[in-house]
Amino acid sequence: MTYTRELASFTAMLTYDRLAPHAREMAKRCMLDWLGIAIRGSLETPSRILRRVLGPSGRSEATVFAAGLPKDTVYQAALWNGAASHSLDFDDLHNPSIIHPACVVIPGVFAIAEKEHAPGTDMIAAVCAGYEASGRVGESVNPESYYFWHTTGTAGTFGAAAAAANLLHLDTDRTIQCYGSAGTQAAGLWEFLKDGAMSKPLHAGKSAFAGVLAAYLAQDGFTAASQILEGEKGFCRAMSATPHLEKLTEGLFRGRLKIDDNSFKPYACCKHSHAALYALQTLRDEQDLKPEQIERIEVRVNEITNYLINNGNPKTPYGCKFSLQYCCAAMLVNGVVGIEEFTDRAIANPAVKALMRRVFVVPNEEEEAIHQANPSKLASTVLVTLTDGTVLTRHVDCPKGDPDNPLSWEEAKKKFLHLAVPVLGQASSHALFQLILHLEKVDDFALALAEADLSVPPPATGQSMI
């Protein structure tokens, strides 16, 4: 049996009844986290440009989670919701594969479930299937691939495809064809980071779109590469000179799923900064630190963190999400690093700018060794030197939101409402929360959405619905 067939067989046969209770709960948590971010992300400029340029199709198959809750084709809804949910860099991460699975997997699940009137249990199983495929494909090509390729846009496409195929109940053979069509569409390069440009949400939106398209094509008999993962000119060998093909199937059918090890973000920026931010947040709270007390901040990081977010001169609010210097300074000045810290006004704060110049990011062999030994650990150590000569040190392996330091349901609800209420209002936001909380009891997702109290207010002043 080939790697592609074995993985496709596993994701095709995954059903709600075969899921452990923890995986079922994690799937709902992932959907809630994704939904809040998609709703708030719909206001961001990249999301609005995409919707404006593509325009409404006039078809009403699936909901776009933006002000007014418009509907469009299943493909457009997946693309728009995918892009919106990756516009804030507040979405989840599977650390070992370095993939944001929700923004590529869940948009298609919501869109297809609404179009096909699927039950909530099928949605939960599909999300688990998508996370499994994206995580395994990501692990098979990383860390080597990550230097050039945004894995969410590349390997994540397989997650989108696996989830869509599972939800459409495609058998193994058609799921293989779905994988083939998805893999040939996979893309996403890191060059945009130099400009702080808008490409990252485009990667996610196109990945979600590609997965949905691949599944419907396969359902209708469209053929594709049958060994898209391990083939001589397939995905893994294209993404890495030394792919880890064994990761594609290692541990399959042994109970624990990739979704069980998913991480959620308390900070609205690149996950590689979170260990340092959690360290600084705890030091700030414990020591009542003030910026004027700080002489120097040294952040010791692994190699990926160093080349990805060591940027002392970010030029845009989005670029600041990938500047460890900015994020650290913002945390020490403001005490939080949420979406409000990435606005033109926030990044112009003189106190933050001054403190940024005292933040030094240093690649460190010990941090790299930790990551090499366990790719799920994006660890960092911070050393804060005070003006009186005192040095405060804090090492973090598992920041808040990681599996070993998880967010509670109450914290997840708080994050969701903080993001959703300004866009949809209290009633609609609470109705959506209840829908996800009890999703396993839903017989028809489209009907449940229609019956929910989603009488939303008009868009905020200055925000276009398209």
Side-chain angles (χ1 to χ4, degrees):
M1 184 179 288
T2 67
Y3 288 109
T4 301
R5 175 168 286 276
E6 190 169 354
L7 182 58
S9 175
F10 181 82
T11 61
M13 57 75 67
L14 204 60
T15 62
Y16 183 82
D17 292 341
R18 291 173 173 170
L19 298 174
H22 183 259
R24 295 173 180 176
E25 284 300 301
M26 282 295 288
K28 293 197 297 182
R29 237 352 149 75
C30 292
M31 284 188 262
L32 180 70
D33 192 71
W34 170 83
L35 184 56
I37 297 161
I39 291 167
R40 177 57 183 82
S42 70
L43 299 182
E44 296 299 295
T45 300
S47 308
R48 294 165 62 196
I49 292 174
L50 278 168
R51 292 177 65 198
R52 190 163 59 239
V53 168
L54 291 171
S57 69
R59 292 165 61 184
S60 299
E61 296 176 342
T63 298
V64 175
F65 290 97
L69 295 174
K71 292 180 183 285
D72 213 290
T73 68
V74 66
Y75 309 105
Q76 297 283 66
L79 192 156
W80 283 330
N81 288 331
S85 62
H86 204 45
S87 293
L88 297 172
D89 272 283
F90 214 174
D91 44 328
D92 66 1
L93 185 79
H94 180 250
N95 290 355
S97 62
I98 328 179
I99 286 179
H100 299 274
C103 65
V104 291
V105 169
I106 300 177
V109 170
F110 269 54
I112 293 172
E114 188 173 357
K115 180 178 187 291
E116 305 292 342
H117 298 268
T121 50
D122 282 6
M123 295 172 68
I124 290 169
V127 167
C128 290
Y131 275 57
E132 197 69 16
S134 63
R136 289 181 173 279
V137 176
E139 288 182 51
S140 76
V141 297
N142 277 330
E144 298 86 359
S145 174
Y146 203 69
Y147 183 82
F148 293 104
W149 298 100
H150 178 206
T151 329
T152 299
T154 57
T157 308
F158 289 95
N166 180 282
L167 193 53
L168 290 174
H169 302 295
L170 302 189
D171 62 15
T172 295
D173 288 335
R174 296 216 174 200
T175 299
I176 289 170
Q177 303 307 313
C178 176
Y179 276 28
S181 288
T184 205
Q185 299 177 77
L189 291 162
W190 280 120
E191 183 64 19
F192 75 91
L193 277 181
K194 291 181 181 178
D195 305 291
M198 299 178 185
S199 302
K200 200 163 185 271
L202 178 62
H203 298 168
K206 287 299 295 293
S207 183
F209 174 94
V212 173
L213 177 62
Y216 276 111
L217 287 173
Q219 184 184 57
D220 206 38
F222 195 92
T223 62
S226 61
Q227 296 184 46
I228 191 65
L229 291 172
E230 73 274 21
E232 181 184 356
K233 296 182 180 180
F235 177 85
C236 293
R237 298 183 197 282
M239 292 289 129
S240 171
T242 55
H244 315 285
L245 295 176
E246 72 282 357
K247 294 290 186 180
L248 292 167
T249 57
E250 188 176 79
L252 270 180
F253 303 99
R254 294 184 190 171
R256 192 166 183 84
L257 298 177
K258 297 302 179 185
I259 201 168
D260 290 313
D261 297 318
N262 201 50
S263 294
F264 300 98
K265 286 187 175 185
Y267 315 121
C269 52
C270 180
K271 184 64 164 62
H272 289 267
S273 67
H274 283 216
L277 292 178
Y278 189 63
L280 290 173
Q281 185 175 38
T282 54
L283 283 174
R284 183 184 188 275
D285 293 345
E286 292 168 7
Q287 304 293 328
D288 192 26
L289 284 180
K290 303 292 189 295
E292 58 269 21
Q293 295 175 273
I294 298 170
E295 182 72 29
R296 172 188 169 92
I297 303 158
E298 181 176 315
V299 186
R300 296 176 179 174
V301 301
N302 60 45
E303 290 296 336
I304 289 179
T305 301
N306 179 56
Y307 73 66
L308 190 66
I309 59 172
N310 182 356
N311 178 8
N313 188 32
K315 295 178 172 60
T316 66
Y318 196 77
C320 286
K321 290 175 178 284
F322 296 87
S323 165
L324 189 51
Q325 289 87 337
Y326 174 81
C327 292
C328 289
M331 172 59 76
L332 288 166
V333 171
N334 302 313
V336 293
V337 182
I339 57 176
E340 293 81 4
E341 278 61 57
F342 298 98
T343 63
D344 288 324
R345 181 176 180 180
I347 70 171
N349 185 335
V352 173
K353 285 188 168 185
L355 192 55
M356 281 179 69
R357 292 191 286 270
R358 305 200 291 276
V359 179
F360 298 88
V361 179
V362 180
N364 179 267
E365 291 182 359
E366 292 181 6
E367 306 301 335
E368 178 63 15
I370 291 171
H371 183 61
Q372 290 292 334
N374 185 352
S376 69
K377 290 185 177 180
L378 305 179
S380 293
T381 300
V382 299
L383 293 84
V384 181
T385 303
L386 305 184
T387 53
D388 65 4
T390 302
V391 179
L392 305 174
T393 303
R394 183 63 51 90
H395 173 83
V396 169
D397 274 345
C398 302
K400 187 68 174 176
D402 271 7
D404 292 333
N405 191 6
L407 292 176
S408 67
W409 258 110
E410 192 57 36
E411 289 170 320
K413 178 181 180 181
K414 182 178 179 181
K415 177 181 175 182
F416 170 77
L417 293 176
H418 173 72
L419 293 166
V421 168
V423 182
L424 298 186
Q426 288 281 352
S428 294
S429 299
H430 280 275
L432 286 171
F433 172 76
Q434 290 297 323
L435 177 60
I436 302 303
L437 184 64
H438 303 292
L439 188 62
E440 70 278 7
K441 299 177 182 178
V442 170
D443 294 324
D444 180 332
F445 183 63
L447 182 61
L449 270 179
E451 291 180 344
D453 180 13
L454 301 181
S455 52
V456 298
T461 302
Q463 302 289 359
S464 169
M465 290 176 60
I466 59 171

